Amino acid sequence: MSNKMWGGRFSEGPDAIMEEINASIGFDQKLYSQDIAGSKAHVRMLAAQGIVAADDAKAIEDGLDTIKGEIEAGSFTFSRALEDIHMNVESRLADLIGPKAGRLHTARSRNDQVATDFRLWVRDTLDTLDVQLLELQLAFVAKADEFASAVMPGFTHLQSAQPVTFGHHMMAYVEMLARDRGRVQDARQRMNECPLGSAALAGTSFPIDRHMTAKALGFDRPTANSLDGVSDRDFALEALSSASICAMHLSRFAEELVIWSSAQFRFVKLSDKFSTGSSIMPQKRNPDAAELVRAKSGRIIGDLNALLIVMKGLPLAYSKDMQEDKEQVFDALQNLSLCIAAMTGMVKDLEPNLKELKKAAGSGYSTATDLADWLVRTLGMPFRNAHHVTGSLVAMAAERSIELHKLSLEDMQTVEPTITEDVFSVLSVDKSVRSRTCYGGTAPVNVKKQAKSWLKKLEKEKAAKQ
């Protein structure tokens, strides 16, 4: 028996294997709300243009509302034989209102229909992600403000480098997330063109008003080229690219949480809400939420790569390969949303161990650069010479297994006779971080100022979104 939605071209139904590989309803039913919204905008335009009678358009709209209610109530039966969300909706519409349902597909194709639905879903999801990222920024800002003066080691190569403040470290992620939000907003702005009316690939001979449907669906304008309108998936790739970079940022902090919460570091404590135990070792407290965020970043990045590979060899315009565009996007953006929510919870519940952080901040000769800077600033020594002198003093301290500030003035003067007692004024971690007052530096006064500025900006943005 032929598929009644295909028309008369096919005399036989699809083979079971063909039906299995061809059907997308298992995942694209997620687009039901966008599909119905697009259909309602389309039929209203058809009625306004005199292409479809007003009574027929009204019956179609009412039928679509009924279908949406059935889907949301869980009483709608999705059929694999009808392939996708579009044909499932149209078939049910025919059951409800009869032959009038057939007028809905006038002047459109599944090609422009799915491109429109997919854009609407991605756009809605990007808006949600932007709000979530704003909340995560606020969580980091709150921690930064609270611990603006708490010293901790800063690392390069995961080796102790220079002292920084815990607040400064938190604010680094506020900046990263701001760029993530910028990419999300930029992708949303660029994708906000409506493909509906491009039809299969060449447009349509019906006197449609594409500007009307674009406006009704909240798009800035219709797409300018019908071939591009149905074949473009840049918007999905940009969304995945933005998601991948954001996931990478979340993964970096997740990695730090895994390290910091270990018994070897003891920098932070994660709450019970985001930790698990071991089935065999009762002492264990595992940062599973952070580890899963770290792992999911690979999955999200993989989704981007998968869609790039799907699209890279496709000629214009539409090919069935593009049915493989949605699962990656659904998977990546939904997992990113989950990761952001988990990370927001972890940041809010995070308890820094101030004693351990301060102890570690002074280890590894972390104020050596402060000593070199003092030699330049106070003694007028060229920096390269100061670097050499400081290196010699660090070697002396390391040989004696003591910290740099434990060397006596006399010891230091054996390397550089002009060093004075004032040198000890720069060798404490607290004085080190307080001295970093240049713009973007770790000084507590800087952190407080940046945190207050970001808090004001973010709260204003949040109020505007509510």
Side-chain angles (χ1 to χ4, degrees):
M1 182 177 182
S2 66
N3 184 324
K4 65 180 180 179
M5 305 305 290
W6 284 356
R9 174 65 178 86
F10 295 85
S11 59
E12 297 181 9
D15 185 88
I17 295 174
M18 178 60 191
E19 183 175 306
E20 183 68 21
I21 197 172
N22 195 46
S24 60
I25 190 60
F27 53 84
D28 71 12
Q29 62 185 261
K30 193 181 299 292
L31 300 174
Y32 79 88
S33 180
Q34 291 79 16
D35 191 72
I36 290 171
S39 290
K40 288 174 70 173
H42 182 66
V43 78
R44 285 174 190 165
M45 179 275 295
L46 293 177
Q49 294 296 104
I51 300 170
V52 168
D55 289 348
D56 288 349
K58 178 66 166 57
I60 289 170
E61 279 204 64
D62 290 345
L64 291 170
D65 287 336
T66 298
I67 293 169
K68 185 175 182 182
E70 290 175 348
I71 294 174
E72 292 176 346
S75 60
F76 187 94
T77 300
F78 292 100
S79 168
R80 289 182 64 80
L82 293 171
E83 298 182 19
D84 55 33
I85 185 61
H86 324 299
M87 294 175 79
N88 269 265
V89 169
E90 189 173 333
S91 178
R92 177 58 179 153
L93 186 63
D95 292 341
L96 291 171
I97 68 171
K100 293 179 181 179
R103 300 191 184 281
L104 173 59
H105 210 54
T106 307
R108 76 173 184 185
S109 161
R110 279 192 295 176
N111 294 355
D112 62 338
Q113 189 178 358
V114 68
T116 303
D117 295 354
F118 197 19
R119 280 185 189 243
L120 288 170
W121 189 91
V122 171
R123 189 181 71 184
D124 292 344
T125 305
L126 290 180
D127 288 343
T128 299
L129 291 173
D130 188 42
V131 171
Q132 284 189 284
L133 289 170
L134 187 154
E135 289 294 336
L136 181 52
Q137 281 185 293
L138 283 168
F140 273 114
V141 167
K143 276 290 184 281
D145 188 50
E146 183 178 0
F147 298 104
S149 300
V151 293
M152 68 171 289
F155 297 96
T156 61
H157 309 278
L158 202 56
Q159 305 292 316
S160 184
Q162 292 177 273
V164 295
T165 62
F166 191 81
H168 192 57
H169 200 107
M170 297 297 98
M171 289 303 298
Y173 285 96
V174 176
E175 297 292 335
M176 290 185 209
L177 292 167
R179 295 193 295 274
D180 290 327
R181 290 185 62 209
R183 278 181 282 270
V184 165
Q185 293 163 4
D186 188 50
R188 189 206 190 281
Q189 181 179 6
R190 189 164 21 255
M191 69 169 286
N192 206 33
E193 297 182 344
C194 184
L196 194 58
S198 298
L201 75 163
T204 178
S205 59
F206 287 95
I208 62 172
D209 185 347
R210 294 189 63 205
H211 291 276
M212 179 180 174
T213 49
K215 183 178 179 181
L217 294 170
F219 289 105
D220 294 330
R221 63 192 71 85
T223 52
N225 182 284
S226 60
L227 284 168
D228 183 53
V230 298
S231 65
D232 167 46
R233 292 298 183 269
D234 288 5
F235 65 91
L237 289 166
E238 282 199 73
L240 289 180
S241 179
S242 301
S244 296
I245 297 172
C246 181
M248 176 269 294
H249 287 153
L250 299 183
S251 182
R252 294 184 73 178
F253 189 61
E255 170 71 1
E256 291 185 320
L257 290 180
V258 171
I259 294 171
W260 290 355
S261 62
S262 68
Q264 289 72 27
F265 274 72
R266 295 185 295 173
F267 282 3
V268 300
K269 179 182 177 182
L270 293 174
S271 79
D272 292 345
K273 297 177 184 177
F274 297 98
S275 304
T276 65
S278 165
S279 63
I280 189 173
M281 295 170 285
Q283 84 281 10
K284 291 296 293 297
R285 184 185 181 87
N286 299 324
D288 281 10
E291 290 172 354
L292 286 166
V293 168
R294 185 176 61 185
K296 284 181 182 293
S297 66
R299 179 171 173 173
I300 292 166
I301 293 166
D303 286 329
L304 167 62
N305 197 41
L307 184 54
L308 283 168
I309 293 169
V310 167
M311 296 301 299
K312 73 176 182 61
L314 299 187
L316 297 181
Y318 182 84
S319 298
K320 194 68 171 182
D321 309 53
M322 292 164 71
Q323 182 169 289
E324 294 297 312
D325 59 359
K326 295 167 202 64
E327 288 181 282
Q328 294 95 326
V329 175
F330 294 159
D331 179 75
L333 299 191
Q334 288 171 338
N335 273 287
L336 179 61
S337 177
L338 180 58
C339 288
I340 296 169
M343 189 59 76
T344 303
M346 283 187 279
V347 173
K348 287 181 177 179
D349 289 351
L350 197 63
E351 295 179 21
N353 186 336
L354 301 183
K355 182 178 178 181
E356 289 295 333
L357 286 169
K358 186 165 186 177
K359 179 182 175 182
S363 66
Y365 310 104
S366 64
T367 58
T369 304
D370 297 275
L371 172 56
D373 289 345
W374 182 88
L375 293 170
V376 171
R377 189 170 52 249
T378 305
L379 303 183
M381 191 178 292
F383 182 79
R384 284 300 170 202
N385 291 10
H387 187 283
H388 179 78
V389 169
T390 301
S392 298
L393 292 173
V394 168
M396 180 187 292
E399 186 177 340
R400 300 180 186 182
S401 298
I402 60 175
E403 294 299 322
L404 196 56
H405 67 278
K406 295 292 186 180
L407 290 173
S408 68
L409 178 60
E410 291 74 19
D411 289 333
M412 292 188 184
Q413 288 176 338
T414 62
V415 175
E416 176 50 57
T418 58
I419 293 177
T420 67
E421 190 77 29
D422 181 61
V423 72
F424 293 101
S425 68
V426 300
L427 296 183
S428 75
V429 292
D430 289 307
K431 290 178 179 177
S432 174
V433 296
R434 286 201 297 269
S435 72
R436 308 291 173 179
T437 55
C438 68
Y439 183 79
T442 191
V445 64
N446 285 14
V447 175
K448 278 283 187 183
K449 183 178 180 181
Q450 286 288 330
K452 297 297 184 188
S453 175
W454 268 109
L455 182 62
K456 182 179 179 180
K457 179 178 184 292
L458 293 171
E459 287 183 337
K460 184 178 180 181
E461 286 185 43
K462 183 176 179 178
K465 290 177 180 292
Q466 291 174 339

